[in-house]
Amino acid sequence: MEGLIFYWISWMVWIMATFFMARTNKYRFLLSAWVLCLMIMSPLTVNILNFEIGIAVLFLLASLYVFAGRLKKLSKLYFLFCTFILMMAYVTFHLFELFDPVWVIFSREWMLSVLMVYMAVLLQKNRMLRLPLILLGGIQGEFLYAFILKSFSFPYTIGSLAFLDIMAISISVSSLWIAVHWTVKYIEANFKHFEREKQKLS
């Protein structure tokens, strides 16, 4: 069922932001409202220039451009360059799937999600920038792919629930990767501290 993964992950994020984030965190209400708006808009579409576009994707796109606009000049240029590479990777995957679907031997959602996360890791050292990088690269890829399909007169909805599923999986995998990295660093730091205390006592 399309959208099921997106709704599950979105609800989990909303619950964590609403009930588990510190009340003093200035991003708590903003994140809760943002995720809730995204879920409400997800089934809605609008027709623009003969393209069927999900309203949630337009909302996401606007949010991501505002975020990118607040980056420093060099960081902004590199971030947009990286989104272009992810956009091309996204479109290339879909075109290969369209013209030669035999090589898609696993779930396409997971294959594409892992590809997007892997490329984001290779391109962006700042772990917190990987999440918006994946989202913006995927959305721009959706627009480019829809434009290519239009030349063949194939109908395609930009930002459908299937696309939101892919993005939700990608963000979850990337977040898990970041959490594992932080956990390893925390354990290493505490282990070194324990070793130093042990040496002092001996």
Side-chain angles (χ1 to χ4, degrees):
M1 181 181 175
E2 290 185 356
L4 187 62
I5 297 173
F6 164 73
Y7 287 125
W8 268 105
I9 292 173
S10 296
W11 272 118
M12 284 191 288
V13 173
W14 184 82
I15 289 169
M16 285 189 290
T18 305
F19 299 107
F20 295 100
M21 285 182 72
R23 293 184 181 275
T24 54
N25 192 318
K26 61 181 180 180
Y27 298 110
R28 175 175 171 267
F29 175 76
L30 185 63
L31 180 60
S32 299
W34 187 81
V35 173
L36 197 59
C37 287
L38 198 62
M39 286 191 288
I40 293 169
M41 295 176 183
S42 59
L44 307 175
T45 60
V46 62
N47 193 288
I48 301 175
L49 300 175
N50 294 322
F51 286 100
E52 195 72 20
I53 307 173
I55 294 178
V57 162
L58 294 176
F59 175 69
L60 259 177
L61 190 62
S63 303
L64 291 165
Y65 278 143
V66 169
F67 171 81
R70 292 181 176 178
L71 297 174
K72 294 179 181 178
K73 189 173 182 180
L74 290 177
S75 299
K76 186 189 304 181
L77 290 173
Y78 182 70
F79 180 79
L80 293 175
F81 173 73
C82 291
T83 60
F84 176 79
I85 295 175
L86 258 71
M87 175 186 74
M88 297 307 297
Y90 183 91
V91 173
T92 302
F93 180 95
H94 277 288
L95 291 176
F96 269 110
E97 181 190 22
L98 182 65
F99 295 110
D100 189 17
V102 177
W103 68 275
V104 184
I105 55 177
F106 302 110
S107 166
R108 62 181 296 274
E109 289 83 4
W110 281 96
M111 287 183 68
L112 183 52
S113 298
V114 170
L115 172 66
M116 297 290 282
V117 172
Y118 181 68
M119 293 200 67
V121 170
L122 290 179
L123 291 167
Q124 185 57 255
K125 290 183 179 180
N126 188 328
R127 296 176 189 87
M128 298 313 297
L129 286 180
R130 289 174 190 167
L131 306 183
L133 176 62
I134 292 168
L135 289 172
L136 190 54
I139 293 171
Q140 292 180 162
E142 276 282 279
F143 278 91
L144 179 57
Y145 183 57
F147 183 78
I148 293 170
L149 290 184
K150 190 174 178 62
S151 62
F152 295 100
S153 299
F154 292 162
Y156 187 77
T157 300
I158 300 171
S160 63
L161 287 173
F163 167 77
L164 293 176
D165 278 344
I166 294 169
M167 291 296 100
I169 294 171
S170 300
I171 294 302
S172 298
V173 172
S174 185
S175 299
L176 182 62
W177 191 315
I178 293 169
V180 168
H181 181 84
W182 280 349
T183 303
V184 170
K185 286 187 70 176
Y186 177 79
I187 292 171
E188 285 180 351
N190 279 271
F191 179 76
K192 289 178 181 178
H193 178 73
F194 174 76
E195 285 294 315
R196 284 196 296 268
E197 291 296 324
K198 188 178 178 181
Q199 288 173 2
K200 286 179 182 178
L201 290 172
S202 60

